Structure formats: structure tokens, C-alpha cells
Amino acid sequence: MKFSLAVLSVAATASAFTAFNAPSRSIGASRVATSGVFAPVAVRNVETQLAAKQTPHGGSLVDLILKSDEEKEAAVAACTKELQLSPRQLCDVELIMNGGFSPLTGFMDQSTYESVVENVALPDGLIFGLPVVFDTDDEDLQPGDKVLLKDGDRNIATIEFTDKFLPNKAVECKKCYGTSEIEHPGSLMVATERGKYYMGGKITGLDLPVRDFPCKTPAEVRETLPDDVDVVAFQCRNPVHRAHYELFTRALDDPLVGENGIVLVHPTCGPTQADDIPGVVRYKTYEVLKEETHNDRTRWEYLPYSMHMAGPREAIQHMMIRKNFGCTHFIIGRDMAGSKSSVTGEDYYGAYDAQEFATEKGPELGVMPVPSLNLVYTDEEGYVTADEAKEKGLSEKKLSGTKFRQMLRGGEDIPEWFAFKSVVQVLRENA
């Protein structure tokens, strides 16, 4: 039997719950951050100081990180409470304060949250894929509180809470994930990991987290990108195998991509589905592959983002984030950010739902989706498109993910047409 979040979260059905304070101005509701309303913001001048061809989402790249020790000490001294961030919250705080979530300058308040859930847009109409919320079960936290946010002993940011509300989680999941069934990993996360309340709040950045994998800020990545060619982003959350590599290198030949374009391989290394390979291990596979396949037209960076497995809505979120990192194009794979029911094994999204939604929203977002090629391996000609293999009557070779994992665990030789030796070695060493 399938259980709905509506059953699990009966108390969270009043979407207009505002008993804690009067409505506050929406975080991110203005496309140009105003320091009098938001947390301290250093907005870079797009035309004179920002590298890369692409304009940040909303027009300006947000940078909330204080630069001097004196400023940081004063911000910490103003706090009256401390909180430890969960792994997902830590990713969100980092992307808020480094500008990955531009134009946001804090966690969404109720009106902003509801606008994104219902309309895939901020209150001013600027497209935004998924809500970014601070969740808590703490009854004592109240609007007006200034809280120090920590990762272990490390000070990460401060937050000044602006409101507190009971979200309608069933509606959130239905709108964002297409279902409120807890067999969906995103719905399960909302129901079982997130706290009862959501709180809006203005973020002031202190220090970036220390991670096993380096995560450059959008500004730092932009400084490494050429400012006169297209930059094609490739998102992944799993190790890159041969077909993936062929896919993102051949994307540069797509007629949608201008001459001399480059690929930014930008894997997410934060929390994903429970059965995914850990982020640190994924990072190790990317590093060895980067060395093995060195190519001046391929760049590698890492993103501290927690996956929702939200299919079409998450495709928009990823495109928006990569826009802030300087990308003009984004490769949309089959069943991108897709998920299956943990009970029936059925897909929640169609194979091309994300591609179609990205194509629809791409012009509004200002990022060109590049549909991924459906590549297959053949004995005669190596990797070709499935259509070409069919037309020529070529012999296809297939290896399922399940079979690959079985061979990996069993110590069997993995065919090199399927996976890179260096990647296989890392996976075996970290099994």
C-alpha cells in the first residue's frame, strides 16, 4: 500500500499559516539585492568584473561572505543561539552565500516558498526550480532570532530569521516532485528528514565548509572560463563511464553550441539517494578520470548540492545554478534527476519529461538545453547513436548497471568499452 504525505503530515495542511509574525518582504523577491533589506551583500558588477559570457540569474552574482575578521567577529557576537547544520542544509547555506542560488540572499520566507512551489518562480516572476528552505523542529526558534550556523566546530554563517510557518508538505511534494507518495526519494526526504517548520532568514556568510572535494565559488569558476565562447554544463551524480564521456565531449559538436565551446563537467557531490555511491568516492573517480582524459576543452569542478530527484523541476534548478557558474548551455540527459518507486520500481517521470520542460523554460531562463545523444556501443564502429546503429545493422553491446555492480563486487574484468580502468580501480578500492 502506498502512503501519502497527506497522511504523514496532517498538521502541515494549512498553507496560509502565519501566526508567528506579520508577512515579511520575500527573500529574493527583488532581482537586485538591497543591503537595507537583505543580509549584507557584495553584488559584483556583471559587465566589468564578472568573467564568462553568461549573465548571472537575476542580473547580479550574490556574494554574502564577509571578508574581514572584524566583520566576522561582530556577526558572531550578535548571535544569541547556535545550530548545527544537517548535510543538506550545509549545501544550501553554501550555495546561498557563494551566489550559486543567486539572486537569493537567504532561505525563502513563506510567500517566496509558496510562489516557487506553485509557479516555478519567485514572487517577481523570475524562474526558480525548487524551494530553498530552512527546516526545524525547534519550538523555541522565533522570527528575529540571530543564530550562528555551524558545521562541527567551524562557523559557517549567521542567519536572522524573518518568519516561521507550517508548510503544506503534501502540496509541496505534489507540485515539485509530481507525487506525494513516500516511495519517491524526494517526498521521503521531506516527510522524514525535514523538520515540522520552515523558516525564512537572511544569511551572512562567515567561512565556506571544509570538504574532501574542493568546491569553487561561482565567481572563482567564472574566472577560469573564457568570456567569448559557449560553456556547456554536464551534470552527473554518479561515476562517469565511457558512454557519459562520449556524450559530453560530442555535445560540443551540437549545432546549438557555438564554435570553440567548452564543457564544464560539474558533478554534484552532496547528499543524493540512499543507494548512490558516496560523494567522496565519486569525487575520487572524477579526479582520476580528469587526469586520464586531459582535454583543454573539458573543465572539471564540483558542486555542493543535495539532490531531490525531482525530474523536470530539478532540471530547471540545475540549469539555473550552472547559469550562475557561467554556463550558457546545459546537457539534458534521458530521465535526468529521475527516480523510481521504492516499492514498484516504476519510473516517476517519462524518459524525456526533463528535456521537454527544459526546452520550454530554457528561453525564459537564459540557458540553452542541449539534448543528450542516445549512444550505444557497437563492435564495428564503437560508440554511435542508436538510430545509426539500427540503420547500419550494427551489433550492439550492452551491460546493465546491475550486471556492472555484480561484476565489480565479484572482481570480474570490466570491459573497457563500458568503463575506464582508473574509475573501476577507485570503485573497487572503496567498495
Side-chain angles (χ1 to χ4, degrees), residues 49-72:
Q49 295 183 28
L50 275 183
K53 181 177 179 179
Q54 177 67 279
T55 300
H57 197 47
S60 298
L61 188 64
V62 170
D63 178 3
L64 303 176
I65 304 173
L66 299 178
K67 302 302 183 281
S68 72
D69 290 340
E70 291 77 14
E71 289 177 307
K72 294 177 181 180

Side-chain angles (χ1 to χ4, degrees), residues 274-352:
D275 60 349
D276 277 352
I277 294 170
V280 174
V281 178
R282 298 198 305 270
Y283 163 67
K284 292 178 180 178
T285 68
Y286 302 139
E287 283 294 290
V288 296
L289 186 58
K290 179 171 67 174
E291 294 301 319
E292 182 176 342
T293 63
H294 178 73
N295 183 336
D296 289 339
R297 296 185 69 190
T298 304
R299 313 291 175 86
W300 296 74
E301 300 294 348
Y302 304 103
L303 182 71
Y305 175 83
S306 61
M307 292 288 295
H308 293 249
M309 313 311 297
R313 292 280 292 253
E314 190 144 38
I316 300 302
Q317 196 83 336
H318 281 295
M319 291 169 70
M320 180 202 73
I321 293 170
R322 279 21 179 258
K323 178 182 180 182
N324 286 325
F325 277 86
C327 298
T328 57
H329 294 63
F330 188 88
I331 299 171
I332 302 287
R334 292 178 72 255
D335 195 30
M336 179 182 173
S339 58
K340 299 178 183 293
S341 167
S342 59
V343 174
T344 66
E346 295 178 1
D347 290 314
Y348 277 108
Y349 314 111
Y352 299 101

Side-chain angles (χ1 to χ4, degrees), residues 7 27 36 79 99 115 150 176-177 218 227 329 332 344 396 429:
V7 176
I27 291 175
C79 295
S115 178
K150 305 192 71 170
C176 294
Y177 308 137
D227 60 8
H329 294 63
I332 302 287
T344 66
E396 296 183 28
E429 290 173 349

Side-chain angles (χ1 to χ4, degrees), residues 137-159:
D137 285 318
D138 194 330
E139 299 286 348
D140 294 329
L141 286 179
Q142 295 296 327
D145 285 345
K146 293 183 178 180
V147 178
L148 177 62
L149 302 178
K150 305 192 71 170
D151 178 34
D153 294 331
R154 188 174 181 82
N155 296 338
I156 301 299
T158 68
I159 185 168

